[in-house]
Each structure stands twice: as C-alpha cells, then as structure tokens.
Amino acid sequence: MGPGPYRRKMSTTRTVWGIGLSTIASDGTALDAWYPELGLGAPEPDDAAAAASSWGAFADGDERRGVTVELVQLSIDLDAPVASTADAYLRLHALSHLLVRPNELSLDGIFAHLPTVAWTNAGPMHPADAALLRPVLQRHGIQVQGLDKFPRLTDYVQPAGVRIADASRVRLGAHLSPGTTVMHEGFVNFNAGTLGASMVEGRISQGVVVGDGSDIGGGASIMGTLSGGGQHRVSIGARTLLGANAGIGISLGDDCVVEAGLYLTAGTKVVVAGATADDARQTVKAAELSGRSGLLFRRNSLSGAVEVVQRSGHGVTLNEMLHA
C-alpha cells in the first residue's frame, strides 16, 4: 500500500483506527496528526503494516520550523474521552471523512489536548518557535497564517463533491456531505455540518447539523452550545431556508422558512397567526415550536410582532447545477 486515498474498513463497532504522521515541536509538544489511512473497526494486519511502512518513510524533520515528523498509529474508542492530541485529531478526521456524524462521538476533553498552534504555509509550528525563528521563516518565505487550536479542513482532508470558496472558514472536524457548497462568507465549525447537498452562506456553529437541500443564507447564524451555555443542539431539517442575516436558537424541521433579518431565540414570543381569540396559546415561546416542520417565521411589518404560519408543500429548491 502506497501513499494515496485512505481505505475504509466499514464496521458497526465504535472504534476508529488511523495511521499517519504527527508533527512534534522542539519542546516535545505534539502539534497535530494527519491520517491519510483510517477507518472504522480494525484494519487488516497486512494493510496496516504496509501503510505504516509507506508513510513512515516521510517521517523526518524541518529545521526551518523547529519540528520533527513522526509516524503515528492509533485505535480509539469513540465513546471514551479524548486522551491525547493524536486522539483528538483522529476524531476530527473521522468527522471530516464522514465516518461518523456530528454529535455521534465523544469530544469530552478535546480542548485540553489541542495546543494553540502557529499555522504556517509550510505546516504547523509552536508559537514560541515562530517568534524565535522569524528571520529564518522570512528567508524561506514561510508566513504565519493563524494562531488557533484547529487547522483548516482542506490542509488535512479534501471532501469529495464539496466546494469551499474560502478554506480558512472551514475547520478540520467539519462534516460536509457531497453536493455542499460553502460560499466565501460561509463558516463551518468542527463537529458540525451538512447531511446532504446544502448551500452555506452563513455560520454553522459547533454541534449544528443541516439537512439535505437546505440553504443557510448570507450572514445568517445558527447558535451553538460552546459559548452560550445552552444544552440544546440546534438542527435544521431538509429543504429549509434560513434567510439572509437571520438567526436561530431553536431547531427547524423540514420545509421551514425564516425570513431575512429575523432572529429567533428560544425565548422569542411568537404569535401563532390564524389562532382564535379564545386560544390561550395564541402567543408562545419559540422553543415550543422547535423542530416542527412546515413553518414560516416572519415579522409583521405593521405591528412588529414575530409571527408563525403553517406552510404547505415543499420548501426551498437548490440550483442543481451549483450542487452537482
């Protein structure tokens, strides 16, 4: 087995294995791990030995960045907490290679095992070394492009059938299904993404999944759970439109529309249009509508009230030529 596309050994077990290369800083810090060979279950012994021999030939060093590159072989339990940097990267690879969906594996402790890295156009390096070796880096045309715990997806995985206009806006660990287009202003975090062909022009936060045929409009935002302290993981169903500059903190079912510029939090008071005057639930919190299908959320242009009405038929239809 030589360098090339990874081979999947599909299984119903909750184990993922990987063989690849890890970058080690001068102080011994593991900066990353890249897994060109990975799969569910366990690899065939002969294949694993061949892969280790093949990729091990690339284990060397880069004095310019003050790093060494070592062979890494690992098998992990997807339900166990993250135990190392190599472990964290294998989970992120499993997500981006579509071996598991977002929220279907444990990411407990991942931040403690992901060091902040100086990401350069020649590969990762320790931030302290990036400052110390600045004259050497400049001499070789090496530039620091970011300081972060997560790298760009496309530096490690090139997802099949996906378009990404600005690679810096999609992190490793994003789950992008074939047919997905991420436009220049779109953003997809780790442990988040699409379950089918989707248009992404807004922000998909950690833990959020978007269904087949849905459209996240320009400047739109979907709340995650990392910063807000909430426990609800927002999801969007199929053929749903989140309008430009809109936002949601509740889940949407299939065939829904949120009009442009409207932001729905769980506590937003929503008038159920068409309800009778005697209906005690004429006005509800948006959280009570979370996950329902066939709804149109809009703001009444006269009263300013947020309204919801039941829709009929299918939701949005994406341009097939853009998502082929």
Side-chain angles (χ1 to χ4, degrees):
M1 181 187 300
Y6 68 96
R7 300 201 295 177
R8 300 182 185 177
K9 180 179 174 63
M10 301 304 291
S11 170
T12 58
T13 66
R14 295 289 294 172
T15 302
V16 169
W17 62 270
I19 299 172
L21 300 169
S22 178
T23 308
I24 311 299
S26 58
D27 67 354
T29 300
L31 300 174
D32 78 341
W34 171 55
Y35 295 100
E37 311 280 351
L38 76 164
L40 295 173
E44 297 294 341
D46 290 345
D47 285 351
S53 175
S54 178
W55 291 107
F58 291 91
D60 55 13
D62 186 346
E63 294 182 355
R64 303 170 305 169
R65 292 182 290 131
V67 302
T68 57
V69 178
E70 301 178 356
L71 178 70
V72 57
Q73 302 181 72
L74 190 62
S75 179
I76 62 172
D77 179 351
L78 289 172
D79 297 315
V82 179
S84 66
T85 300
D87 179 329
Y89 270 82
L90 183 50
R91 293 170 197 260
L92 297 175
H93 276 71
L95 283 162
S96 291
H97 278 295
L98 312 186
L99 296 180
V100 292
R101 289 184 173 187
N103 306 316
E104 291 185 354
L105 75 171
S106 173
L107 295 173
D108 292 344
I110 191 170
F111 290 104
H113 292 289
L114 288 176
T116 298
V117 173
W119 301 104
T120 80
N121 57 331
M125 61 185 303
H126 197 290
D129 291 338
L132 183 65
L133 297 174
R134 184 171 182 269
V136 176
L137 299 178
Q138 287 184 316
R139 187 179 307 123
H140 288 91
I142 299 175
Q143 299 176 335
V144 175
Q145 299 173 327
L147 294 170
D148 196 6
K149 289 180 175 289
F150 293 84
R152 301 184 301 186
L153 168 68
T154 54
D155 286 343
Y156 293 79
V157 179
Q158 285 73 51
V162 170
R163 296 169 56 207
I164 301 174
D166 185 347
S168 66
R169 297 185 61 81
V170 181
R171 280 173 151 181
L172 179 63
H175 180 287
L176 300 179
S177 295
T180 295
T181 294
V182 184
M183 296 300 289
H184 296 79
E185 296 305 317
F187 172 82
V188 187
N189 210 339
F190 77 100
N191 192 41
T194 61
L195 305 181
S198 299
M199 172 61 80
V200 182
E201 298 180 271
R203 179 183 180 86
I204 301 180
S205 300
Q206 194 273 151
V208 173
V209 290
V210 176
D212 184 40
S214 289
D215 188 332
I216 310 305
S221 179
I222 307 170
M223 285 186 182
T225 58
L226 285 179
S227 299
Q231 297 300 313
H232 175 65
R233 291 187 180 274
V234 176
S235 63
I236 289 179
R239 302 173 302 278
T240 286
L241 171 64
L242 185 58
N245 297 315
I248 54 172
I250 64 170
S251 293
L252 300 175
D254 300 337
D255 305 307
C256 291
V257 174
V258 178
E259 79 165 20
L262 178 62
Y263 209 114
L264 284 171
T265 66
T268 299
K269 297 295 181 64
V270 181
V271 176
V272 182
T276 66
D278 296 330
D279 189 348
R281 294 176 58 81
Q282 183 176 5
T283 299
V284 300
K285 289 185 177 180
E288 297 183 47
L289 304 171
S290 184
R292 297 190 188 182
S293 297
L295 299 181
L296 165 63
F297 292 91
R298 66 192 184 192
R299 188 176 295 279
N300 187 300
S301 60
L302 296 178
S303 68
V306 177
E307 298 178 341
V308 61
V309 297
Q310 189 71 44
R311 301 181 68 250
S312 60
H314 291 303
V316 299
T317 300
L318 299 180
N319 185 325
E320 292 184 3
M321 294 299 295
L322 292 178
H323 299 271

